[in-house]
């Protein structure tokens, strides 16, 4: 019996020494001390030992068990420490490495330009309103003095939904919608998307944005229009900016004008940016046509008004010196990241 226990002990010790990992150690435990383990089967054989020998043998078995357990536990602790050390080595953090950059999004150049224009007009007491992108022919053309057969209707190559409904070709229908509500005086701007059946190139897109402006009150004159737009141009392009009103024609304003600003790049002496002229066109405007006021339920004998309309993309392109409108729509992060 003594020899048998000795053998079990030596065998177990050898196996513990050889065990290469925690799982192998556990296998040794099960093989020796487990329910069906070698030592356990010795205990089960105690009934064959002479009764007077039993206490002695029992003590021997217990001593062997305790020793194996102790050595197993030591080996386990050693191995765990080794594993931990290796993991720490593998997971070492180099605090001197440059940090990962957190890329946060930001506003599109169109949005930056729009918010700038809104800020300026809100500062002058204007309200920001919106109209529908899918619009009645009635508002897009008719109430703006553009009846069937009028050449302006052909000029603005229109997307028709049916004969009465169009994708609005301009934000000007917002003028008619606001005037019809009958709340006077009016001081509003109406930004939004417009649509024209145009081919895409550096300056055209079938969908772009305009900002409409409308003021209606008693005693509004062309001087108010000029003063307002001059102030706007100075705010947007800098205090040195000069403005020039060139006579033009729009069906819904009379008289009408196009507004140029002095080139903010060369100051007016002429450069590549203003194509040598010193001036850059930014918008159309005029005094609201009496017939338009009338059609929208406002008495032109009592009230007068002015209106203006500008292309948002054009403002963004000018402000940021971008030479191709397509860049605004392609969503190339290398482009957008620059603003
Ligand atoms: N709606 C015109 C266009 O798309 C722009 C415009 C011109 C708007 C004169 C106006 C205006 O309000 O008074 O070409």
């Amino acid at each position: 019996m003594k020899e048998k226990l000795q053998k079990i002990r030596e065998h177990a010790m050898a196996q513990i020494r050889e065990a290469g990992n925690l799982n192998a150690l556990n296998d040794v435990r099960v093989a020796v001390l487990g329910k069906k383990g070698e030592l356990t089967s010795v205990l089960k054989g105690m009934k064959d030992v002479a009764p007077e020998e039993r206490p002695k043998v029992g003590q021997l078995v217990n001593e062997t068990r305790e020793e194996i357990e102790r050595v197993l536990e030591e080996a386990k602790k050693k191995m765990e420490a080794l594993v931990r050390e290796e993991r720490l080595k593998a997971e070492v953090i180099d605090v001197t490495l440059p940090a990962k950059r957190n890329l946060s999004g930001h506003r599109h150049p169109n949005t930056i330009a729009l918010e700038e224009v809104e800020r300026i007009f809100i500062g002058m007491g204007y309200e920001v309103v919106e109209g529908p992108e899918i619009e009645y022919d009635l508002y897009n053309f008719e109430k703006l003095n553009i009846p069937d057969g009028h050449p302006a209707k052909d000029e603005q190559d229109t997307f028709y939904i049916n004969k009465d409904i169009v994708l609005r070709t301009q934000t000007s229908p917002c003028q008619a919608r606001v005037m019809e509500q009958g709340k006077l005086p009016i001081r509003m701007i109406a930004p939004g998307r417009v649509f024209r059946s145009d081919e895409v190139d550096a300056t055209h897109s079938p969908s772009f944005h305009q900002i409409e402006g409308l003021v209606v009150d008693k005693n509004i004159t062309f001087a108010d229009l000029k003063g307002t737009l001059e102030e706007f141009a100075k705010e947007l392009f800098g205090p040195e900016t000069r403005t020039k009103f060139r006579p033009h024609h729009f069906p819904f304003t009379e008289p009408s004008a196009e507004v140029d600003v002095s080139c903010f790049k060369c100051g007016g002496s002429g450069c590549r940016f203003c194509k040598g002229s010193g001036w850059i066109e930014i918008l159309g405007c005029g005094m609201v046509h009496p017939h338009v006021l009338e059609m929208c339920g406002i008495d032109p004998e009592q009230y007068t008004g002015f209106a203006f309309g500008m292309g948002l993309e054009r403002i963004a392109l000018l402000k940021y010196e971008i030479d191709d409108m397509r860049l605004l729509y392609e969503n190339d992060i290398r482009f957008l990241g620059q603003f």
Side-chain angles (χ1 to χ4, degrees):
M1 187 51 99
K2 220 175 168 184
E3 290 87 74
K4 197 173 177 193
L5 284 171
Q6 184 73 12
K7 249 190 174 166
I8 290 175
R9 214 185 65 137
E10 272 164 20
H11 185 60
M13 294 302 166
Q15 277 188 310
I16 292 169
R17 256 180 272 124
E18 276 165 30
N21 56 44
L22 285 169
N23 278 344
L25 267 186
N26 196 49
D27 290 345
V28 178
R29 172 191 300 282
V30 173
V32 183
L33 308 174
K35 257 192 199 159
K36 292 176 187 161
E38 292 171 55
L39 206 61
T40 320
S41 64
V42 172
L43 271 178
K44 279 180 187 158
M46 284 287 268
K47 58 182 185 311
D48 303 329
V49 178
E52 62 275 20
E53 292 282 308
R54 278 184 198 162
K56 246 183 129 186
V57 175
Q59 196 190 345
L60 255 175
V61 171
N62 278 342
E63 277 170 13
T64 310
R65 178 185 197 87
E66 273 162 22
E67 195 180 352
I68 295 175
E69 270 176 350
R70 188 176 52 77
V71 175
L72 257 174
E73 194 53 33
E74 270 169 19
K76 192 176 156 205
K77 276 199 181 129
K78 250 191 217 157
M79 209 161 290
E80 279 172 349
L82 219 73
V83 168
R84 195 173 326 120
E85 207 169 294
E86 258 163 35
R87 221 179 63 203
L88 283 177
K89 263 188 213 153
E91 288 179 358
V92 109
I93 296 169
D94 183 352
V95 292
T96 66
L97 279 176
K100 262 197 202 144
R101 274 229 292 171
N102 244 344
L103 292 176
S104 57
H106 63 85
R107 294 172 303 163
H108 187 278
N110 260 358
T111 311
I112 304 175
L114 173 60
E115 288 180 2
E116 178 68 3
V117 172
E118 285 180 348
R119 185 189 66 77
I120 296 168
F121 280 105
I122 288 169
M124 293 197 264
Y126 285 59
E127 201 181 334
V128 181
V129 305
E130 277 182 19
E133 292 175 0
I134 300 171
E135 184 56 283
Y136 290 108
D137 178 282
L138 180 71
Y139 287 100
N140 196 80
F141 294 121
E142 203 87 10
K143 289 200 182 232
L144 297 173
N145 238 0
I146 314 174
D148 279 344
H150 193 286
K153 219 167 161 174
D154 299 331
E155 276 163 29
Q156 305 195 348
D157 299 308
T158 312
F159 289 114
Y160 278 89
I161 306 271
N162 61 38
K163 88 177 195 340
D164 298 322
I165 298 173
V166 302
L167 297 185
R168 67 176 174 191
T169 59
Q170 48 186 352
T171 44
S172 303
C174 296
Q175 290 187 32
R177 285 183 173 272
V178 170
M179 283 191 277
E180 269 191 0
Q181 287 173 0
K183 276 186 237 141
L184 290 161
I186 295 165
R187 220 185 274 134
M188 69 85 169
I189 57 168
R193 192 187 290 270
V194 301
F195 307 85
R196 292 186 195 178
S197 166
D198 277 330
E199 293 294 331
V200 173
D201 66 25
T203 54
H204 291 86
S205 159
S207 154
F208 58 103
H209 300 77
Q210 288 187 334
I211 304 167
E212 196 74 16
L214 176 70
V215 170
V216 179
D217 201 351
K218 285 179 174 153
N219 304 316
I220 297 290
T221 69
F222 202 92
D224 297 310
L225 169 60
K226 280 193 80 173
T228 302
L229 293 181
E230 269 172 27
E231 201 48 43
F232 165 68
K234 283 196 167 82
E235 276 278 323
L236 191 64
F237 295 113
E240 310 302 321
T241 312
R242 285 164 293 127
T243 42
K244 182 167 80 174
F245 288 68
R246 273 184 294 105
H248 200 79
H249 170 77
F250 296 105
F252 38 91
T253 44
E254 181 58 34
S256 305
E258 276 190 332
V259 176
D260 298 343
V261 293
S262 55
C263 177
F264 45 84
K265 197 84 188 163
C266 65
S269 55
C271 66
R272 192 189 63 85
F273 204 68
C274 55
K275 300 197 182 80
S277 74
W279 295 95
I280 297 170
E281 182 198 320
I282 58 158
L283 56 81
C285 64
M287 299 305 291
V288 182
H289 198 295
H291 188 222
V292 172
L293 287 173
E294 221 165 18
M295 280 190 286
C296 298
I298 295 173
D299 180 0
E301 297 298 327
Q302 278 200 55
Y303 286 92
T304 50
F306 66 76
F308 55 87
M310 66 191 101
L312 175 61
E313 279 78 0
R314 188 163 169 73
I315 303 287
L317 296 184
L318 286 172
K319 242 186 121 52
Y320 300 112
E321 301 181 24
I322 303 163
D323 55 12
D324 193 326
M325 186 161 149
R326 285 167 288 198
L327 289 165
L328 293 175
Y329 305 123
E330 283 166 355
N331 284 337
D332 186 328
I333 211 83
R334 290 167 301 180
F335 168 77
L336 294 176
Q338 297 173 42
F339 300 93

